Amino acid sequence: MRPIFAKSWTSFSPLARGVGRGRWQVSRLSSTISPVAAPSTKSRLSSARVLVVGAVFFGVGATLWAGEAFYLAAEEAKGEPSYVPVNKATPGVPGADPAYPKTMTINGEELPVATCFGSDMADINKPRLVILGSGWGATSILKHTQDLDANGYYTVVLSPTNYFLFTPLLPEATTGTTECRSLIESIRKICFRSRAHYCEAAAQDVHFDLKMVEVIGVDGRHFLVPYDKLVIGVGAMNNTFGVPGVRENARFLKDIQDARYLRHKLMTNFETAALPTTSEEERKRLLSFVIAGGGPTGVEYAAELYDFLHEDLMKYFPDLTSSDVSVTIVQSADHILNTFSEAISLYAEERFKKHNINVVTNARVTKVDPGVLTYRNKNAKAGEVDTFEIPFGICLWSTGIGLRDFTKRLVDKIDMQKNKRAIEVDSRLRMKGVEGVYALGDCATIENPNMMEIVKQSFVETGKDSLDYDTFQSVIASIVDRFPQTAMHLEKLQNLFEKYDLDKNRRLDMTEIAVLVDETNKKLTSLPATAQVARQQGEYMAKKLNKLAWTPSAEGSMAVENTLKPFNYKHLGSFSYVGGDSAVIDLGGGRTGGGFGAFLLWRGAYLAKQVSLRTRVLLALDWTKRMFGRYDCSSPRS
């Protein structure tokens, strides 16, 4: 039996429709959001809203907790696995498995080979599965491989971070809406339930010819870990796009330490601004918050700042006025939330305008100096001033992601890796150019098909110089079957036969096909770097690994690989909080919504997707405290 929280958040839609009735509505194939009644922006929830929200949280929470408790009881009833340890070894002693040497020489340096992590060696003779990372993809694999009655692998998880972090709620941790401890769960606890072995170490390199991962332990020592199958889920780092001064003077929001720093820095700036010796100019700089990047992270941080500043901080600092505080988003695209529908973007911008949050679009940041961000207006006309400066007390950089040094080393050593922004994998998440290695999450991107080659092959197979409608349909279907991520673009093309039949002869020749392929290639995009994508890829990999565990031969594994369906991402909707107990949701296909009902759905979904009962309880308590009390404005240095 699986825990109840494994269900999709879409199961909450009836709840949202009921609670949110009169607050928001979904508009199919509409270009605008149609809120029936805009949510209130008062500093306190009305008594009616408190009752509604309280009932929702306690009802949903009780259901989820009961389901989790039932699941845990069932797991405990199974008892300990019926195995007899092979032989005891001292934890961490290299060479515990006699099948591997105790040391190996790499680049002239003799490194120990670690084959045993702990005294549990029940699975030591099974294929070795090494997972790099402890994020969404890796955790999703662990939580789904535990369904096996007997593990098919000796599983080792290597990560410098010994916890899983619920990243979508990091903006809330910067203001204290949620506590940092409510967003993290011990990776050892997750590993324990799936009989995996965790080691706190950072991957340095992968020696593919030896099937060895070179890692650095927390003590700074290098050692090797052998693998039969390797899953890379190390995530990505913030991309500065070469803008000078970003790493030195701006802050990122990728880890729990970033959230703690931003919370401490926020209160420090307010305390400094309240000093009688602080000048007016310095006060305005300290209380200026600039966000470079208008994606979900930047937008939600701005929304959390608005709630924090206007609901509580201005009360605790009566000598400071609202004119002293400013929040500015600098976005290079035409709109914020540009990965959402245009209707969502316009709704968020209008809401921020009411909240006096400045949104600067079509602006490219050129440098970040200490306390000053400089940007250039991309649409400035000749003769107009196109460069502007914004003083800041805190600058958050949230403009995109890039390769980690480790990932870059892997990409550079494999000739088939043509994409230099991520590890390129095929539609089954196999790393191109290497056998037995997979990659998922933010560090990987699925290859787009060479559609022109596929079409040419169809011409060769048919022996004709043009395709009729039926043949064209079959070619499109075969491409979608092999590369599911192209479906949203190619399925539409099936209805556009007439458009590309330029000579109107009811057939497409090579020239007409070339026009079609060129236009389609421009529309093909990579999957978004979101937790939702990584989680689904982890579930897919778990199912695949479960099947491959019992096919030890390379030929058998290849046969199983080819019979499994390619990874098919199913978009379940995108959320973003926009402040004032209001959120926006984009379900795709023109279905959008915003308001208090979307806010409830957003919180219900995130509550359901917690990885443990502990974090679910803590998160529900944090939100309940926030409904009935003020923010905690203390922030000791961590």
Side-chain angles (χ1 to χ4, degrees):
M1 173 181 174
R2 294 190 178 184
I4 192 169
F5 61 86
K7 293 182 180 179
S8 166
W9 61 261
T10 51
S11 62
F12 287 92
S13 57
L15 172 72
R17 287 196 296 269
V19 176
R21 187 168 297 155
R23 293 288 181 180
W24 72 304
Q25 58 180 224
V26 173
S27 175
R28 185 184 296 272
L29 300 176
S30 171
S31 61
T32 60
I33 296 177
S34 305
V36 178
S40 171
T41 57
K42 293 180 180 180
S43 62
R44 286 290 171 270
L45 292 171
S46 66
S47 58
R49 181 174 295 181
V50 169
L51 292 175
V52 170
V53 177
V56 169
F57 284 138
F58 284 114
V60 172
T63 302
L64 293 170
W65 300 339
E68 179 76 355
F70 182 77
Y71 171 77
L72 292 175
E75 288 293 302
E76 292 175 359
K78 295 178 181 178
E80 292 296 322
S82 56
Y83 61 82
V84 178
V86 181
N87 59 322
K88 295 291 184 179
T90 304
V93 173
D97 185 349
Y100 294 90
K102 292 184 177 181
T103 62
M104 293 188 71
T105 301
I106 302 293
N107 298 326
E109 184 178 359
E110 189 174 9
L111 300 178
V113 179
T115 59
C116 176
F117 296 85
S119 59
D120 176 9
M121 298 181 64
D123 301 318
I124 196 69
N125 294 321
K126 295 178 181 178
R128 292 179 171 271
L129 169 63
V130 175
I131 301 174
L132 305 183
S134 56
W136 282 93
T139 303
S140 184
I141 292 176
L142 293 172
K143 289 181 71 65
H144 287 82
T145 52
Q146 72 184 16
D147 293 337
L148 285 177
D149 292 332
N151 282 11
Y153 299 93
Y154 182 84
T155 304
V156 178
V157 179
L158 303 171
S159 173
T161 305
N162 65 0
Y163 56 84
F164 165 78
L165 173 63
F166 195 86
T167 50
L169 288 177
L170 270 179
E172 287 199 352
T174 64
T175 59
T177 300
T178 59
E179 295 297 332
C180 293
R181 294 296 303 175
S182 304
L183 303 182
I184 60 178
E185 183 59 80
S186 168
I187 196 66
R188 285 190 176 274
K189 179 180 177 182
I190 298 172
C191 286
F192 177 79
R193 293 178 61 182
S194 57
R195 278 175 51 187
H197 306 270
Y198 171 72
C199 180
E200 188 168 342
Q204 175 73 8
D205 201 352
V206 179
H207 305 288
F208 296 111
D209 54 338
L210 302 174
K211 285 199 168 186
M212 291 281 179
V213 181
E214 182 179 346
V215 299
I216 307 176
V218 290
D219 59 357
R221 299 179 182 179
H222 289 236
F223 59 94
L224 300 173
V225 179
Y227 70 86
D228 292 302
K229 295 193 182 300
L230 175 66
V231 179
I232 304 172
V234 297
M237 64 184 297
N238 293 93
N239 194 345
T240 65
F241 299 98
V243 177
V246 172
R247 297 204 177 274
E248 297 81 3
N249 305 306
R251 298 298 302 188
F252 306 112
L253 190 52
K254 291 285 288 183
D255 207 339
I256 204 70
Q257 286 79 12
D258 296 328
R260 286 172 175 159
Y261 172 87
L262 288 169
R263 184 175 179 181
H264 173 76
K265 180 65 173 173
L266 173 66
M267 293 312 306
T268 300
N269 282 15
F270 263 84
E271 295 292 356
T272 306
L275 293 173
T277 54
T278 302
S279 66
E280 180 181 356
E281 180 181 0
E282 179 66 3
R283 182 169 65 250
K284 290 183 178 295
R285 184 193 69 80
L286 287 169
L287 302 183
S288 172
F289 304 93
V290 178
I291 302 159
T297 299
V299 166
E300 290 188 357
Y301 180 62
E304 288 293 332
L305 276 177
Y306 168 80
D307 288 348
F308 191 30
L309 299 175
H310 292 271
E311 290 187 17
D312 282 335
L313 275 189
M314 301 311 297
K315 297 181 180 68
Y316 293 131
F317 295 87
D319 295 333
L320 302 177
T321 64
S322 58
S323 61
D324 294 326
V325 183
S326 64
V327 179
T328 305
I329 298 177
V330 180
Q331 167 73 330
S332 62
D334 295 338
H335 297 284
I336 60 175
L337 296 178
N338 60 320
T339 57
F340 288 60
S341 69
E342 184 179 355
I344 291 286
S345 299
L346 295 175
Y347 178 83
E349 289 175 5
E350 182 62 28
R351 191 165 187 82
F352 279 178
K353 183 178 180 181
K354 293 178 181 178
H355 292 171
N356 293 321
I357 296 175
N358 306 314
V359 178
V360 181
T361 57
N362 293 306
R364 185 178 301 279
V365 178
T366 56
K367 63 178 178 177
V368 182
D369 295 315
V372 179
L373 178 142
T374 303
Y375 71 88
R376 180 177 59 83
N377 183 354
K378 297 191 295 185
N379 291 343
K381 298 179 181 179
E384 292 182 346
V385 176
D386 64 350
T387 303
F388 303 88
E389 293 182 347
I390 307 178
F392 65 80
I394 294 178
C395 176
L396 176 69
W397 188 268
S398 60
T399 61
I401 59 175
L403 282 175
R404 294 185 181 275
D405 293 339
F406 164 73
T407 317
K408 189 176 187 302
R409 277 192 288 273
L410 301 189
V411 169
D412 289 342
K413 66 169 59 177
I414 304 298
D415 293 337
M416 291 185 66
Q417 291 290 320
K418 304 299 183 182
N419 191 321
K420 301 304 179 182
R421 292 177 294 179
I423 297 175
E424 193 170 22
V425 298
D426 64 13
S427 58
R428 291 174 171 81
L429 305 186
R430 296 174 293 195
M431 182 177 178
K432 295 186 64 177
V434 187
E435 291 185 4
V437 181
Y438 308 84
L440 43 67
D442 294 355
C443 69
T445 183
I446 299 177
E447 65 172 337
N448 285 324
N450 187 335
M451 288 188 290
M452 201 62 203
E453 290 299 321
I454 297 175
V455 173
K456 286 181 179 178
Q457 182 62 33
S458 298
F459 279 107
V460 172
E461 292 174 355
T462 59
K464 300 177 180 179
D465 58 359
S466 61
L467 302 179
D468 59 21
Y469 181 78
D470 291 337
T471 308
F472 174 71
Q473 293 280 70
S474 64
V475 170
I476 295 298
S478 66
I479 295 175
V480 171
D481 185 58
R482 292 172 56 188
F483 303 94
Q485 74 271 20
T486 65
M488 61 182 295
H489 302 292
L490 294 184
E491 286 178 353
K492 296 177 182 178
L493 294 180
Q494 294 182 10
N495 301 321
L496 297 178
F497 186 90
E498 294 290 340
K499 175 181 177 181
Y500 295 100
D501 182 16
L502 303 179
D503 54 11
K504 305 302 178 184
N505 65 347
R506 303 298 300 168
R507 301 186 69 85
L508 296 180
D509 58 27
M510 185 62 74
T511 302
E512 294 166 335
I513 290 288
V515 176
L516 180 152
V517 169
D518 182 63
E519 183 171 329
T520 304
N521 282 336
K522 293 177 182 177
K523 297 178 181 178
L524 290 179
T525 57
S526 302
L527 293 175
T530 63
Q532 186 179 163
V533 172
R535 180 180 59 79
Q536 290 187 29
Q537 289 179 335
E539 293 176 1
Y540 172 84
M541 275 304 307
K543 294 176 182 177
K544 172 186 283 191
L545 291 170
N546 288 345
K547 293 183 178 180
L548 292 176
W550 313 112
T551 53
S553 68
E555 295 78 10
S557 294
M558 182 63 68
V560 173
E561 285 266 18
N562 293 332
T563 57
L564 294 174
K565 291 183 178 180
F567 171 70
N568 185 16
Y569 170 62
K570 297 178 181 178
H571 184 63
L572 301 179
S574 300
F575 289 103
S576 184
Y577 181 59
V578 292
D581 302 327
S582 181
V584 291
I585 179 174
D586 188 347
L587 298 173
R591 297 170 296 170
T592 59
F596 184 60
F599 170 75
L600 289 180
L601 184 59
W602 170 67
R603 286 203 161 172
Y606 284 177
L607 192 66
K609 288 304 177 184
Q610 294 301 303
V611 296
S612 72
L613 179 62
R614 185 192 70 86
T615 56
R616 188 171 296 114
V617 171
L618 292 177
L619 184 60
L621 289 175
D622 287 343
W623 285 342
T624 303
K625 288 190 298 182
R626 181 66 201 101
M627 285 191 295
F628 294 100
R630 291 183 173 179
Y631 285 97
D632 178 8
C633 291
S634 63
S635 181
R637 184 182 296 274
S638 57

